[in-house]
Amino acid sequence: PEFTVRICQRLRKYAKQTKNGKYRAYAKGCIELCENNSKFAVLARTKLHEAPKDIKRLEVLKPNNAPTMGERYEMAIAKERRLEAAAQPEVSSAAKKKAEVAREQEIRNAEARKKELVQTNDKKKRKQRMELNEGDLKNVMALEEKDEVQEGVDWSASEDESSEEED
């Protein structure tokens, strides 16, 4: 019943727009069928004493020899697994071993590449540090340069004056 409203709206719009009488009659028949099924579902729901969401209460009403809800679920999952396994092609043990060896080799190669990258990055960083250090050592003139800042200048006084001018 929840979905019938939108379905019937769309079918009515289609029946109104179509020029083919055969399709119009088919759409109207679908509308009637949909509404009848909706009415049946609503009536059946009113007769229910237990809501479908109360499945634990309904589970009590099952016969004693019937499997429980958990057992039925496990059987369904097992059936799906069997069907999935049957759908997959048969692989020989030699092919499985070969794939395993290839997978292990790929893992080793990936690890080796990772180690190489780390080592090359470390070497590059060391070389850059050494170049920087050598450049600093060669610059002896920097030690002999005099500071441009004058000693004895009261910097706070000039800051106070500039803030008073802004106000």
Side-chain angles (χ1 to χ4, degrees), residues 1-82:
E2 294 83 19
F3 300 113
T4 58
V5 174
R6 185 69 179 135
I7 293 169
C8 290
Q9 280 179 346
R10 188 71 182 114
L11 284 171
R12 283 190 187 97
K13 185 177 179 182
Y14 176 77
K16 198 177 207 182
Q17 291 177 348
T18 188
K19 295 178 181 175
N20 190 333
K22 182 179 176 182
Y23 292 134
R24 185 179 299 120
Y26 186 71
K28 287 183 181 180
C30 287
I31 291 169
E32 288 178 24
L33 185 66
C34 192
E35 288 177 347
N36 288 341
N37 289 336
S38 175
K39 287 177 187 175
F40 173 77
V42 169
L43 287 173
R45 284 181 185 175
T46 59
K47 293 178 184 176
L48 282 178
H49 296 289
E50 299 289 334
K53 68 178 183 177
D54 299 332
I55 196 151
K56 299 238 183 218
R57 288 181 171 177
L58 294 173
E59 191 70 21
V60 174
L61 302 175
K62 72 172 181 48
N64 290 336
N65 58 354
T68 63
M69 185 170 53
E71 291 171 346
R72 290 192 309 263
Y73 176 75
E74 290 300 323
M75 287 189 300
I77 296 296
K79 183 179 178 182
E80 281 183 25
R81 286 186 184 139
R82 282 193 308 269

Side-chain angles (χ1 to χ4, degrees), residues 84-115:
E84 187 176 300
Q88 292 180 352
E90 187 69 27
V91 180
S92 67
S93 60
K96 287 181 184 177
K97 288 180 182 178
K98 187 177 180 180
E100 180 83 19
V101 169
R103 202 175 305 125
E104 289 175 2
Q105 184 64 30
E106 186 63 34
I107 291 171
R108 281 190 226 113
N109 290 343
E111 289 174 356
R113 277 187 248 122
K114 189 175 182 181
K115 286 181 182 178

